[in-house]
Amino acid sequence: MPGMVLFGRRWAIASDDLVFPGFFELSLRVVWWIGILTLYLLHRGKLDCAGGVLLSSYLIVLIVLLAVIICTLTAIVCVSMKGTICNPGPRKSMAKLLYIRLALFLPEMGWASLGAAWIADDIQCDKTVVNGIIATVVVSWIIIVSTVVTIIVVFDPLGGKMAPYSSAGPNHLDSHESSQLLNGLKTAATSVWETRIKLLCCCVGKDDHTRVAFSSTAELFSTYFSDTDLVPSDIAAGLTLLHQQQDNIRNSQEPDEVISHSPGPPQEADLDAELENCHHYMQFAAAAYGWPLYIYRNPFTGLCKIGGDCCRTRTAEYDLVGGDQLSCHFGSILQTTGLQYRDFIHISFHDKVYELPFLVALDHRKESVVVAVRGTMSLQDILTDLSAESEDLNLECGVQDCSAHKGISQAARYVYQRLINDGILSQAFSIAPEYRLVVVGHSLGAGAAALLAIMLRSSYPQLRCYAFSPPRGLLSKSLYEHSKNFTVSLVLGKDIIPRLSVTNLEDLKKRILRVIAHCNKPKYKILLRGCWYELFGGDPDNLPTELDGGAQGHLTQPLLGEQSLLTHGSPTYSFSSDSPLESPAKYPHLYPPGRIIHLEEEGTSGRFCRAAARYSARWAHESQFSKILIGPKMLTDHMPDVLMKALDSVVSDRAAYVFCPPGGGSNVDVVVSSYHGLGV
């Protein structure tokens, strides 16, 4: 539900968020109360010492105070369990209960201070009683400090501006007032987000690129969050419900089985060839991460293998063009790629906003000059990722509407200028003029590699690009179609990054609003069952995903509950369409690069067990990645080490299939399964 309004301002917590913290404090208070009561009843005869009257009075008042607090907490927990996310009516008394609870902190703080003062006077009483008083004072101050920290966490800097809207409601504001409110909120939110980002990235630097990235990131966050009145737990509940809803739809649908004589021998052969190329070039994309990824992949032996390179004195043969600040990186790169030091033309780990590390090497096995761009590894890279507005590119590729992700295009332009202006590619092709150029990268590096390939192709017509787990919000439609001629993208499972764009995030926000408005279960039940489902699985049919008897697919107007979660005048909602939402002009619909190979997990391998996971590979259309899928592997599927293991599995399985086809036949029909609307 919308955040609570207390003391005339909105807070980043809802009235149904107090079940778990309230129950935790209630349990602690009850145990504490029982312990103090037991201590007093068993040892009250030993309080006839000097100062014993004060301690006896302290314990009696504390027992009474704790009893009142326990009653208040019980009422808070019970009221917080009522209603649903979009029906806060049964919880209308929550504000009064919280005022009472906060008022009780005053005598509690005073009594804890008195207890600390009495203990400091070194009262000579029974040791057990004194130790009990000390424990009581310590627990009191721990709870007080925890409460202060909680208040700081749930404090909303924009709460003063949101309170008038939250109290008046959307129907009490005319269009002019609504527009003024929304513009004021966006301006204030941008300022708040920029301050937060600067504090978080205080060590990044203060050059022009960094300041531009701060502003771009702040504007993105303010644009995305300022038009809804959701608290973090609402988003968590919505994601939980969406995951169950996706699984429920997938389990209830019969897959369309389309039997054909394979996608054609040329396409299957092309898939096998491209998979083998991906398997080979993924080593270079992983090597660009340097020693952190190598140590992560080889936790027991990695440091021993590259330790000598970390401490070795640099010699002339290790001096590469721009090859400074290599430290342990060079050893890990040699181990990952299997190349010799003389095969490397350039290695750079220079890392700033819009400036990515990259390496250039001669790959004699494939007769190619490989340019590998590193993915996200630092705060600077994250700022590059989050500079998500679109910018026009000046390209010589004969394509109209050459626009792309601003941050990634600037990073690609930096690498392009280094390669051309510093003569790096000229040096490489002077050594191996018959080789072809191959550009690779993972994640952010994949996006930069795809744009770099577009920039270089006019000079190198035979160029190829392999983008591993690239971001979706990268290229305009025309550039996406153009990149199919020379770019292959590889996506694993439910990886969120190839599905991540501003328009897809807007669509996700719309789906979250709709699913929590449909649900008639209290939030604490949604979160409890959601945690169980994520950890241990189960049947999503038994979990709340929609209103009883509701026809979710036939709704064309937002529910009243959805309207309560939207800032009045917000353009977020598109009443008559389930397509991804229109974004502002600076955030148009963008696409992933090239043709896409999708590695799908076959069957289920458990929530956390990956050892038995098996994958199948197929060509996929970009529309299958037009929605963000929720699941426990949406993040882990993006990790480069997981992608490398999946590639190893797919390539070895397909090789075994070629050598040992079932039944000895060679012409085998292929069964393709597709699920409508899920992109899986």
Side-chain angles (χ1 to χ4, degrees):
M1 67 161 287
M4 285 191 297
V5 177
L6 297 171
F7 303 106
R9 66 178 304 116
R10 177 193 180 274
W11 297 78
I13 189 171
S15 58
D16 53 357
D17 285 339
L18 301 174
V19 176
F20 299 119
F23 183 78
F24 176 77
E25 185 182 353
L26 179 62
S27 303
L28 183 62
R29 297 279 187 178
V30 169
V31 173
W32 183 12
W33 184 80
I34 293 174
I36 295 299
L37 183 62
T38 303
L39 177 69
Y40 177 75
L41 294 177
L42 293 180
H43 297 276
R44 60 183 174 179
K46 300 178 182 180
L47 296 176
D48 53 358
C49 56
V53 177
L54 293 177
L55 292 183
S56 178
S57 301
Y58 176 80
L59 290 175
I60 292 173
V61 174
L62 184 60
I63 289 171
V64 174
L65 183 60
L66 282 175
V68 176
I69 292 174
I70 287 172
C71 293
T72 307
L73 286 173
T74 302
I76 288 174
V77 172
C78 291
V79 171
S80 187
M81 296 170 71
K82 296 180 180 179
T84 64
I85 296 177
C86 293
N87 180 26
R91 302 189 296 272
K92 61 184 178 182
S93 60
M94 179 61 72
K96 296 178 181 178
L97 289 172
L98 286 177
Y99 286 136
I100 295 173
R101 176 67 191 93
L102 291 173
L104 288 172
F105 270 108
L106 296 177
E108 185 176 15
M109 289 180 65
W111 216 240
S113 301
L114 285 176
W118 289 337
I119 293 300
D121 286 342
D122 194 21
I123 298 176
Q124 301 297 321
C125 282
D126 183 78
K127 195 73 172 177
T128 304
V129 176
V130 174
N131 289 338
I133 299 297
I134 293 174
T136 296
V137 172
V138 170
V139 172
S140 295
W141 282 108
I142 289 176
I143 291 179
I144 291 170
V145 171
S146 300
T147 303
V148 172
V149 172
T150 301
I151 291 174
I152 293 173
V153 170
V154 301
F155 177 79
D156 185 358
L158 301 174
K161 295 181 179 293
M162 284 292 294
Y165 163 75
S166 298
S167 58
N171 296 325
H172 293 76
L173 298 174
D174 60 32
S175 59
H176 178 69
E177 291 174 328
S178 172
S179 177
Q180 283 187 327
L181 173 65
L182 194 59
N183 291 334
L185 282 176
K186 286 185 176 180
T187 302
T190 300
S191 177
V192 168
W193 277 110
E194 188 163 355
T195 301
R196 289 171 173 170
I197 294 166
K198 286 180 179 178
L199 289 174
L200 182 64
C201 305
C202 58
C203 59
V204 168
K206 296 182 180 180
D207 56 37
D208 291 339
H209 282 170
T210 303
R211 284 191 286 270
V212 170
F214 284 160
S215 299
S216 297
T217 304
E219 189 166 354
L220 172 64
F221 284 164
S222 63
T223 300
Y224 187 72
F225 290 111
S226 64
D227 59 352
T228 56
D229 194 8
L230 295 173
V231 297
S233 60
D234 294 336
I235 298 174
L239 293 175
T240 296
L241 291 172
L242 281 179
H243 182 207
Q244 298 165 40
Q245 187 183 67
Q246 286 173 183
D247 289 354
N248 187 33
I249 294 174
R250 184 178 60 187
N251 294 341
S252 63
Q253 279 188 334
E254 289 293 332
D256 299 330
E257 296 187 349
V258 182
I259 302 180
S260 63
H261 296 288
S262 78
Q267 292 186 30
E268 275 296 290
D270 183 41
L271 177 60
D272 285 330
E274 295 295 6
L275 275 173
E276 198 280 328
N277 286 333
C278 287
H279 183 254
H280 176 77
Y281 289 115
M282 182 60 200
Q283 308 299 322
F284 292 89
Y289 282 99
W291 67 263
L293 178 60
Y294 184 78
I295 296 295
Y296 177 76
R297 293 179 57 211
N298 304 275
F300 300 110
T301 62
L303 192 58
C304 297
K305 291 181 178 179
I306 68 173
D309 292 288
C310 296
C311 306
R312 183 176 302 160
T313 303
R314 294 278 301 278
T315 60
E317 64 187 14
Y318 275 73
D319 286 326
L320 306 174
V321 176
D324 54 348
Q325 302 176 357
L326 293 185
S327 60
C328 303
H329 291 306
F330 201 10
S332 66
I333 292 171
L334 293 174
Q335 291 287 339
T336 303
T337 60
L339 301 181
Q340 302 297 317
Y341 70 87
R342 60 179 174 271
D343 296 327
F344 289 89
I345 306 300
H346 183 91
I347 301 176
S348 172
F349 277 87
H350 170 80
D351 188 14
K352 294 179 67 176
V353 176
Y354 304 151
E355 298 177 6
L356 298 179
F358 66 98
L359 63 87
V360 180
L362 299 178
D363 178 19
H364 302 296
R365 176 183 166 189
K366 292 286 187 177
E367 296 188 342
S368 59
V369 174
V370 181
V371 178
V373 187
R374 196 190 74 180
T376 304
M377 275 281 288
S378 65
L379 288 174
Q380 292 93 326
D381 299 336
I382 293 174
L383 290 173
T384 301
D385 286 316
L386 294 176
S387 298
E389 60 262 49
S390 176
E391 75 169 8
D392 293 329
L393 304 179
N394 183 18
L395 300 174
E396 299 177 0
C397 58
V399 174
Q400 299 295 325
D401 184 23
C402 295
S403 60
H405 183 290
K406 174 184 173 180
I408 300 178
S409 64
Q410 298 239 2
R413 188 176 295 112
Y414 161 77
V415 178
Y416 174 84
Q417 291 173 349
R418 292 289 309 276
L419 293 176
I420 301 301
N421 297 343
D422 293 354
I424 297 173
L425 285 185
S426 298
Q427 180 185 355
F429 283 103
S430 67
I431 298 173
E434 72 282 5
Y435 285 12
R436 73 172 181 175
L437 181 61
V438 176
V439 186
V440 304
H442 173 265
S443 187
L444 169 62
L451 279 166
L452 179 62
I454 294 173
M455 297 175 183
L456 289 169
R457 191 161 187 259
S458 60
S459 301
Y460 301 92
Q462 301 302 315
L463 175 148
R464 300 288 295 172
C465 175
Y466 293 93
F468 303 98
S469 306
R472 175 177 178 83
L474 183 65
L475 304 175
S476 63
K477 179 72 171 179
S478 55
L479 278 182
Y480 156 67
E481 295 291 347
H482 174 67
S483 66
K484 287 183 179 181
N485 298 320
F486 52 90
T487 300
V488 172
S489 293
L490 186 73
V491 178
L492 175 63
K494 293 184 177 181
D495 185 354
I496 186 175
I497 300 302
R499 298 174 170 86
L500 194 61
S501 66
V502 176
T503 48
N504 281 8
L505 282 174
E506 285 287 339
D507 173 65
L508 178 64
K509 181 168 64 177
K510 174 185 172 181
R511 289 191 286 148
I512 288 175
L513 291 172
R514 183 171 288 275
V515 76
I516 62 179
H518 281 208
C519 186
N520 65 346
K521 304 294 182 183
K523 189 190 298 181
Y524 79 95
K525 286 188 177 180
I526 297 174
L527 295 175
L528 279 176
R529 293 189 177 186
C531 289
W532 179 271
Y533 184 74
E534 298 297 337
L535 291 172
F536 306 106
D539 187 357
D541 287 335
N542 298 326
L543 298 169
T545 58
E546 59 188 2
L547 283 172
D548 295 336
Q552 187 167 308
H554 297 91
L555 291 177
T556 59
Q557 296 291 327
L559 299 179
L560 180 61
E562 286 177 282
Q563 291 178 329
S564 71
L565 297 173
L566 289 169
T567 300
H568 189 53
S570 164
T572 296
Y573 223 97
S574 175
F575 295 158
S576 61
S577 175
D578 285 330
S579 62
L581 304 174
E582 294 296 328
S583 291
K586 66 192 311 180
Y587 300 115
H589 196 90
L590 298 177
Y591 298 82
R595 296 183 298 160
I596 303 173
I597 298 176
H598 190 199
L599 303 185
E600 293 182 288
E601 187 173 348
E602 296 179 337
T604 58
S605 60
R607 294 295 188 193
F608 303 104
C609 177
R610 280 197 172 271
R614 297 178 66 87
Y615 301 89
S616 60
R618 64 181 179 83
W619 291 109
H621 190 265
E622 61 83 17
S623 61
Q624 295 177 274
F625 306 94
S626 61
K627 287 184 181 294
I628 295 175
L629 301 182
I630 310 302
K633 296 179 180 179
M634 60 189 291
L635 297 179
T636 56
D637 278 347
H638 186 67
M639 298 297 290
D641 61 310
V642 176
L643 179 57
M644 293 175 77
K645 292 177 183 176
L647 262 176
D648 290 341
S649 172
V650 168
V651 171
S652 61
D653 287 350
R654 291 180 74 91
Y657 181 87
V658 170
F659 287 110
C660 303
S666 58
N667 295 323
V668 182
D669 289 345
V670 175
V671 178
V672 180
S673 299
S674 64
Y675 294 94
H676 289 302
L678 286 178
V680 294

